[in-house]
Amino acid sequence: MTREAALPLAVIATSLVAALLTFPLSEHQGRLRAAINLSAAVLKVGLVALMVVATMAGAQFEVRLGFLPGLDLVLRADFLALLFVSLSAILWLVTTAYAIAYLRDSPHRSRFFGFFSLCVTATMGIALAGNLVTFFVFYEMLTVVTYPLVVHRGTGESLRAGRVYLLYTLGGGVILLLGIAWLHGLVGAVDFASRGTLEPLAETHRTSLIAVFTLLVAGLGVKAALVPLHGWLPEAMVAPAPVSALLHAVAVVKAGAFGLVRVVHDVYGLHFADSLGVLLPLAVLASVTIIYGSLRALAQDELKRRLAYSTISQLSYIMLGLAIVGPLSTTGGLVHLIHQGIMKITLFLCAGVLSETLGIHRVSEMNGVGRRMPVTMAAFTLAAFGMIGIPPMAGFVSKWYLGLGAAQSGHNWVIAVLAVSSVLNAMYFLPMIRAAWFAEAGVEWKPRVTRMEADSVLVIAAVTPAVLALLAGVLAGMPWSPLALARLAAEGAYPQ
Amino acid sequence: MTTIMMAGWVTGAAVLVPLVSGLMVFAGDGRRPASAMAWGAVPALAAVFWPGAARLELPWVLLGTVLQVDTVARAMLFLTATLWMVAGIYARGYIANDPRRRTFEGFFLLCMAGNVGLVVAADVVSFYCFFALMTFTAYGLVVHVRTCEALRAGRIYVILAVAGEAMLVAGLVLAAREAPSFALSVIPGAIAGSESRNLIIGLLLAGFGIKAGALPLHVWLPLAHPVAPTPASAVLSGCMIKAGLLGWIRFLPAGEIALAGWGTLVIMLGLAAAFMGVFLGLTQPAPKTVLAYSSISQMGVINTIFGVALAVPAAWPVALPAILLFAVHHGFAKGALFLGVGVVEMMPKGSVARRRALGGMVFAAIALAGAPLTSGSVAKRYLKDAAALAPGTWPGWLDVLIPLTSVATTALMAVLLMRLVMHEHDPAPAGHGLPGAIRFPHGGQDGDVARHTRARPGSWMIGAWLASLAAVAVALWTLPRVHPLGVDPPRFPYPALMWDASWPIIAGLTLVIAVTWLGRRGRHGLSFPEIAAGDVLVLGEKLVTGAQRVREPLLRPPLVQPMLVLAERWYALNVRSDPEDHLVRAEISITQWEVGAALLMLMAVLLAVVLAYA
């Protein structure tokens, strides 16, 4: 097998093997389990780095496996895939380390880490999928393997949340399948290709294509948490912190957003989708979601729930960038795929540290916590400023490109949406930051047990993505920054 | 290394040194005082006097960062670097025994980095980045004493600052889209040629106007500037207020095209601020609040001239140096006055030292008023040249009104000094803040003064204050000689100028003496109606409280009810959790966010509507 075929398979296999090795382990083999999962995560980061460097140098990774008659499973690494793969690989390493420390003394860890690894397997598959069928297979696999993670605690509340989660995502899956099947009926197997393959059908099947697009958006929109399909996300935050972090930053919601990008860029083609008139409604839907999510976040006292509504809002920046035609807004949307991930994972990991160490679950309990946990709260603050879109954080770069793109394409109203959203973000993030740093603590904090403010692995894991979010903004002009990668990926959507 | 590269890195160091020192303060244990407060601005000062074109290009930072000391930056940096250094030295003494010293040092240094950075920034993104750094770290300075008043001032400051940031980013995006690059030099031209020109200009005028204390966006300023520790007040009112002005200079197409409508608006708002600032200042019992209102007034004078240049492009070559020189003059004088109030208030009443310190205050005050031979008279001469180029009948009006602002300022300064002499100001300022505000036993508005009153100001503070007075004395005579700004350097004044500069002072003093004398005869002393600091804001708060009592559902359109529920919940969650005095909370806090939020919502809706039709 050539290197071009082996590498994408290896990227997926590393976590699959880790999962298969983890399941049979007994509960007390903690070190072995940690070693397996961590080395798999490190190995994967290495492989992905190799793939990025080689692709930049011109290599093309592709592998095709027979699946059903006439249907191949295709894995291919284009720039869009690399964007998602690198995000996932890096954040998975961070989350794995975090999860090992977070769940140190809780039951069912082998089950947890097994499904955790399966989850990354599915995400890698989604990222590297080269056609709609492959995408769908991994997309459904993700739904199934995240369920045990959501209900991991086994309490009534988490089981209920799990039911809601399954109801929404499986329903979305059915609609998605319907759309894909319809499309296959029209054109046969649909490979992802730059600028799409459906344009020749414009004359004959215009209505069908619009209907299929609607189905695909509705199916993918569940995981991407587009209003009104977002109901599962705030419920699912009962899951343990590392799972929430992963759901919100990388795996589930990003799978939906990434799927939408694939559909618009590589199935329909940006300009063809625009000529069908389906992008403006998507932009409006994304704008509504952005504002609605922020408004709901304003009134949440539970920290993770507030962050969940914030995710709903922030995710739609990606869809907004997708729906506004123009190289700058496309870049802005794609780069937010990465930026939102590293900023939101920081916030959730910090929330986990707060709840684990001091039992803080609510915004109203955060008064004065900055003095007790300065490092964690510094990371939280950086990420929150990024979410608001204040430079030099990564979030500013996304918003700047989205705004420029909107102005460029004449959609000035989008700038108003962005400005209002920034103000709303400030309204729910700044009071938390002020309470943490400038308010007096109402209670006596639990004293430090170690020299660090909390478990050192947890703190380091929470700080790492915060530093990445800072660097992604400050060094946005570097040739290997997320922005540069997003520019390359965006170029593919436009005719040369 | 070539000279040009050296010069570039001096510019870089001007930003990096305070930035890194500030971060190190936060990372450190804070056991030793951060000496960087005193010398952190030295590289910035070096950049002012470094020969050659100091330009540093860092294409890999942000979206391509360029730092450059051009003519405008040189004048502004001269003020910024000097005043931050003086205030930093002063702060070494002022803050030495403060339990939160480390926090102050950190925010002070980061804020310095932001302020210096935005002066030397030569591209849109880094300008905005440094502007944001300054804005948000200044919050830490405003709320430093953590009193109820400080937290309230901080909250109102942040609400307006966030609104400003949102307007700025919207305006900047629209402007940058039209420009061939993100370089600041091409932005005004791009705005001038843009279809949505008026929208961009409106957004930028308002967005930067908040920082510049332009009417009617000034409401945060008389609350926030005085409540900060004295050295922070000095830089807030002396140079951070100029950041908004610099934003206007850098971005708006003054000198490119004639904008008669915008120009007239800015002239009128500027003149209104110039007089209203003084009248509202007269009603304030606390010296630092008087100074803050005076800043609004003086910025009004500068803004008037900026309005002239907006309306008449040909006036720009005359107006720009006038604006810069006036900004430098006001910055030094206001800095010296703030630092001086801190010194005077620490001196025992009736002591010789206090009398000497008051002498210094008199010097800074007459400079601010524009007495002959002071920096004020020089600055106002250039102002007069620019005002003469105003459109229509404005020159005639300005010829009368600008000297009248000097009369008003003289009166304001005279009243301020009289209060300091007689220690007349109420230690628990009745008009300041709101009923139930925390009262300090030993005068002054910030808690620190109470602690310092027993301690005499040390050599750090005295030395820094004397240095600031020296800056007032020499700055304007030297600056145009060292750096050609396109104007003749001031010459030793001829008789006409002497008279021009002295009659407003005489008139102002006469006015104050007459009123005082009349007041004595009426046995009421010199009294003014009490208007709470923040004027319109407080009025608005009262209106909202009144409106809230009306619970008639008829008065509320359908969508309003859910919005109000949301608002109340947000308020309860995010705002009420302060460790504040219960009474005060009941009195004031309920209303303040709603004013801010109502403003924001209004602006958001307006913005959306305007953008949709632009």
Side-chain angles (χ1 to χ4, degrees), chain A residues 95-137:
Chain A
T95 320
T96 304
Y98 186 92
I100 291 169
Y102 190 87
L103 296 169
R104 199 161 277 151
D105 299 313
S106 71
H108 307 303
R109 275 169 295 165
S110 287
R111 184 184 79 193
F112 180 88
F113 282 100
F115 282 113
F116 202 71
S117 292
L118 283 181
C119 197
V120 71
T121 314
T123 308
M124 291 294 160
I126 289 170
L128 292 168
N131 63 16
L132 263 180
V133 173
T134 318
F135 178 85
F136 181 76
V137 168

Side-chain angles (χ1 to χ4, degrees), chain A residues 295-296 298-301 306 363-364 367 371 385 389-392 396-397 399-401 403-404 407-410 412-413 415-416 419-420 422-424 426-428 430-432 434-435 437-440 473-479 483 487, chain B residues 59-64 100 103 107 124-125 128-129 132-133 136 139-140 143 146 151 155 158 162-163 165-166 169-170 172-174 176-177 182 196 199 563 566 569-570 573-575 577-579 593 597 600-601 604 607-608 611-612 614:
Chain A
L295 282 175
R296 288 298 302 271
L298 287 178
Q300 306 302 325
D301 188 26
R306 184 177 284 202
V363 173
S364 49
N367 282 352
R371 221 156 303 146
F385 271 109
I390 293 166
F396 166 75
V397 177
K399 282 195 186 174
W400 182 255
Y401 269 81
L404 278 182
Q408 194 184 43
S409 55
N412 280 358
W413 58 273
I415 297 174
V420 170
S422 294
V423 169
L424 291 172
M427 282 170 75
Y428 62 80
L430 291 183
M432 289 197 263
R434 194 207 40 195
W437 294 108
F438 294 99
E440 292 295 327
V474 172
L475 302 181
M478 283 281 187
L483 180 65
R487 270 206 202 111
Chain B
W60 43 273
V61 175
L62 289 169
L63 305 176
R100 274 188 295 271
T103 326
F107 282 122
V124 181
V125 174
Y128 182 64
C129 180
L133 177 65
F136 287 101
Y139 175 82
V143 301
R146 305 289 199 274
L151 291 169
R155 196 174 299 150
V158 161
V162 166
E165 297 277 316
V169 80
L172 294 183
V173 157
L174 285 168
R177 164 232 168 183
F182 291 163
S196 23
L199 175 65
M563 287 303 278
L566 182 71
R569 177 126 175 84
W570 180 79
L573 277 177
N574 297 293
V575 182
S577 52
D578 257 350
W593 104 261
L600 279 182
M601 284 298 165
L607 192 63
L611 281 168

Side-chain angles (χ1 to χ4, degrees), chain B residues 28-56:
Chain B
D29 57 9
R31 247 175 260 149
R32 295 220 320 260
S35 55
M37 275 212 300
W39 54 260
V42 168
L45 209 54
V48 177
F49 295 104
W50 204 275
R55 185 180 166 90
L56 181 66

Side-chain angles (χ1 to χ4, degrees), chain B residues 325 371-382 385 473-481 486-498 501:
Chain B
L325 287 170
L373 300 182
T374 63
S375 60
S377 67
V378 176
K380 281 183 183 160
R381 204 207 85 197
Y382 293 118
D385 294 346
V474 301
L476 238 52
W477 298 97
T478 51
L479 184 64
R481 289 193 164 78
V487 290
D488 304 331
R491 261 161 297 162
F492 198 71
Y494 21 91
L497 179 60
M498 294 288 276

Side-chain angles (χ1 to χ4, degrees), chain B residues 277 333 392 430 444 482 505 549 588:
Chain B
V482 184
I505 309 287
R549 297 213 181 95
I588 61 169

Side-chain angles (χ1 to χ4, degrees), chain A residues 139-163:
Chain A
Y139 190 83
E140 288 303 290
M141 172 181 168
L142 183 66
T143 305
V144 176
V145 299
T146 41
Y147 174 77
L149 297 177
V150 172
V151 301
H152 180 74
R153 291 227 169 93
T155 60
E157 198 192 1
S158 61
L159 287 171
R160 202 184 66 83
R163 268 200 303 280

